[in-house]
Amino acid sequence: MHDQPFEQLVTDYEPLLKSCIQKLNLYRDYEEYYQIGMIALWTAYCQFDPEKGAFPAYAQKVVRGHMLMFMKKEQHFSERHLLHDDDTTYRLADHDAEEAFEAVTAPLEEYLHPLSARERLWVLETFVQQKKLGQIATEQGVSPNTVASWRKQALKKLRDRFKPLHREAGADGM
């Protein structure tokens, strides 16, 4: 195998690299995966033993394996790390963020009027700020069961409040 220069091998096996990328549906970061394929091809070129089989099959396995390992490593990293931009992080303490929060919650006040303060808190934290039940419980210093009871009561009150509207809409539809 080493009688052929690596540059010629790259030219001959470029379709293999592109084929692996296409078969693995790697459309994002194409150049990065192409580079990984080139490194894998170099590895296959250096480690190939002609007594164990044909080079094309070996090269295909090595290239595909390196790409899959990189995909797994990237997925593992993204599962454990949250990437964010400090410019897009909004804090409620900021004056503009408070105004934005008020602009969103003001129209809801009409509907939230029959709810207790805790039930209102659950609605706003859940739907406006996209917080999970456990997160709300931790922030409020109560158990998740307590927040679940706020949710239960809030939903019951809101359903009761909107039942007349639902009946009117159903009567108009018939």
Side-chain angles (χ1 to χ4, degrees):
M1 186 78 238
H2 292 283
D3 57 337
Q4 180 180 3
F6 183 69
E7 291 77 17
Q8 181 61 41
L9 192 73
V10 168
T11 305
D12 293 345
Y13 284 88
E14 185 175 21
L16 171 81
L17 298 176
K18 291 179 179 179
S19 172
C20 282
I21 291 170
Q22 184 179 10
K23 286 178 182 175
L24 293 172
N25 295 320
L26 302 171
Y27 299 107
R28 286 185 16 216
D29 303 325
Y30 178 87
E31 292 83 14
E32 189 167 13
Y33 282 99
Y34 187 84
Q35 184 67 30
I36 289 166
M38 293 285 285
I39 293 168
L41 189 61
W42 173 254
T43 302
Y45 176 76
C46 293
Q47 296 177 350
F48 177 66
D49 183 3
E51 294 177 8
K52 293 188 177 180
F55 182 75
Y58 179 70
Q60 196 268 340
K61 291 263 187 211
V62 171
V63 168
R64 186 173 190 277
H66 275 72
M67 287 183 185
L68 288 172
M69 283 191 312
F70 186 75
M71 284 173 54
K72 186 174 182 179
K73 190 184 291 185
E74 286 291 303
Q75 181 181 10
H76 187 74
F77 180 84
S78 68
E79 287 173 354
R80 286 174 170 62
H81 296 85
L82 175 64
L83 302 177
H84 64 86
D85 183 6
D86 289 336
D87 293 338
T88 59
T89 302
Y90 299 104
R91 293 184 181 92
L92 199 54
D94 294 340
H95 182 64
D96 293 338
E98 286 180 22
E99 289 176 8
F101 184 76
E102 289 298 322
V104 171
T105 58
L108 293 176
E109 285 302 321
E110 176 186 347
Y111 302 104
L112 302 179
H113 180 68
L115 303 181
S116 72
R118 296 291 179 128
E119 294 161 353
R120 249 188 233 133
L121 176 103
W122 173 79
V123 170
L124 296 175
E125 296 279 312
T126 300
F127 297 108
V128 176
Q129 296 189 355
Q130 302 289 307
K131 292 182 181 176
K132 302 285 185 201
L133 187 137
Q135 186 179 2
I136 297 169
T138 302
E139 290 175 0
Q140 295 301 314
V142 296
S143 74
N145 289 338
T146 302
V147 178
S149 71
W150 299 346
R151 174 184 61 198
K152 182 178 177 181
Q153 290 302 313
L155 291 174
K156 182 182 182 306
K157 289 177 183 177
L158 290 171
R159 280 188 199 109
D160 290 345
R161 174 153 166 69
F162 289 107
K163 270 184 188 173
L165 296 176
H166 180 68
R167 287 187 191 131
E168 290 174 14
D172 292 341
M174 295 184 133

